[in-house]
Amino acid sequence: MIIILFGPPGAGKGTQAQRIEKSKGLIQLSTGDMLRAAVAAQTHYGQKAKDKMDAGQLVSDDIVIGIIADRIKADDCKGGFLLDGFPRNVAQAQALDVMLAEEGVKLDAVIEMKVDDAVLVDRISGRYTCAKCNEGYHDTNLKPVVEGVCDNCGGTEFKRRNDDNAETVAKRLKEYYAQTAPVLPYYAEKGILQQVNGMNAIDEVAAQIDAVLAV
Ligand code: AMP
């Protein structure tokens, strides 16, 4: 199965993707995570991407399309994968169609997670992750059971993203509505666009996604 989790920054794509990866065995492909790893490793792509990411703007299509085109050919993607943060504009969506056709596979569903802007800003400004296993938390909505200790791996170090600050969040939302939201009609026309209410609690959203995927 190949699916896209679609929605603005802070909609909960990463959180749901981690759950779907565990429950359905689909590999999570997050272009944001891949770019952050490239930035941390100071690769050629990482150095080119960093300024755009810090400014809340999209990284150039050739970089992200190249990353995804390479990644989906790997053996671990043969059992299916889940795209999180890609495509982010119509050119990327078209490029994805070409890649999938070359691999002889097709997209099963695009799941749009709908969330109000005010909630997005609150979610993004409070979120952080375990530095060791990347489990996601939030200052008020989703704390670890034992303060300062990751529920998943017992790690005690946590990190926040450079671009998770109020000023950059506003720019990222602007980019989403200008460039990414126009991808929705592209998939609606193909009859594979589904919607879930991303304002609900994490478990409820997960249940809605399960229901969509079970059809
Ligand atoms: P995310 O983790 O998905 O919120 O992505 C963080 C940042 O990485 C974005 O604000 C962009 O600068 C960059 N990025 C991630 N995915 C893409 C993409 N598909 N196209 C362009 N830029 C991207």
Side-chain angles (χ1 to χ4, degrees):
M1 184 180 278
I2 298 173
I3 60 177
I4 295 176
L5 277 188
F6 201 97
K13 301 186 294 295
T15 303
Q16 295 298 332
Q18 285 178 350
R19 293 177 68 126
I20 298 168
E21 188 172 53
K22 281 184 196 145
S23 67
K24 300 230 178 308
L26 301 179
I27 301 289
Q28 176 192 3
L29 302 182
S30 156
T31 39
D33 285 349
M34 293 176 201
L35 289 167
R36 279 184 287 280
V39 170
Q42 297 187 323
T43 66
H44 174 67
Y45 283 154
Q47 282 167 348
K48 280 174 99 174
K50 187 180 185 316
D51 289 348
K52 292 277 184 195
M53 293 172 77
D54 286 346
Q57 293 167 352
L58 294 190
V59 171
S60 73
D61 287 347
D62 51 336
I63 292 183
V64 284
I65 290 169
I67 290 176
I68 288 292
D70 284 345
R71 188 65 187 84
I72 65 172
K73 291 190 185 117
D75 279 349
D76 64 347
C77 288
K78 299 291 178 228
F81 54 88
L82 178 161
L83 291 162
D84 156 13
F86 182 92
R88 255 186 162 91
N89 59 29
V90 173
Q92 293 180 18
Q94 289 166 337
L96 177 64
D97 279 347
V98 174
M99 290 176 219
L100 296 180
E102 278 171 8
E103 293 296 306
V105 292
K106 70 168 186 48
L107 196 52
D108 295 280
V110 177
I111 302 173
E112 180 193 4
M113 302 175 65
K114 290 172 88 82
V115 179
D116 295 347
D117 282 3
V119 174
L120 294 173
V121 174
D122 170 65
R123 283 188 184 176
I124 295 177
S125 23
R127 73 184 180 182
Y128 62 97
T129 55
C130 170
K132 204 166 145 200
C133 74
N134 224 22
E135 186 77 3
Y137 297 99
H138 187 278
D139 290 330
T140 49
N141 312 337
L142 185 64
K143 297 181 185 177
V145 176
V146 178
E147 200 183 326
V149 181
C150 174
D151 298 345
N152 189 46
C153 75
T156 52
E157 282 183 32
F158 297 87
K159 58 183 182 187
R160 286 177 198 264
R161 284 170 44 171
N162 272 353
D163 57 350
D164 279 352
N165 58 73
E167 191 194 337
T168 313
V169 169
K171 290 188 190 146
R172 285 160 63 200
L173 281 176
K174 222 170 137 193
E175 285 280 83
Y176 175 78
Y177 290 113
Q179 305 215 42
T180 309
V183 178
L184 290 167
Y186 180 82
Y187 289 124
E189 265 172 40
K190 291 177 186 286
I192 53 172
L193 181 64
Q194 308 272 357
Q195 278 151 345
V196 298
N197 183 356
M199 301 284 284
N200 286 338
I202 292 172
D203 285 347
E204 285 169 51
V205 179
Q208 281 183 40
I209 293 176
D210 272 351
V212 163
L213 295 180
V215 177

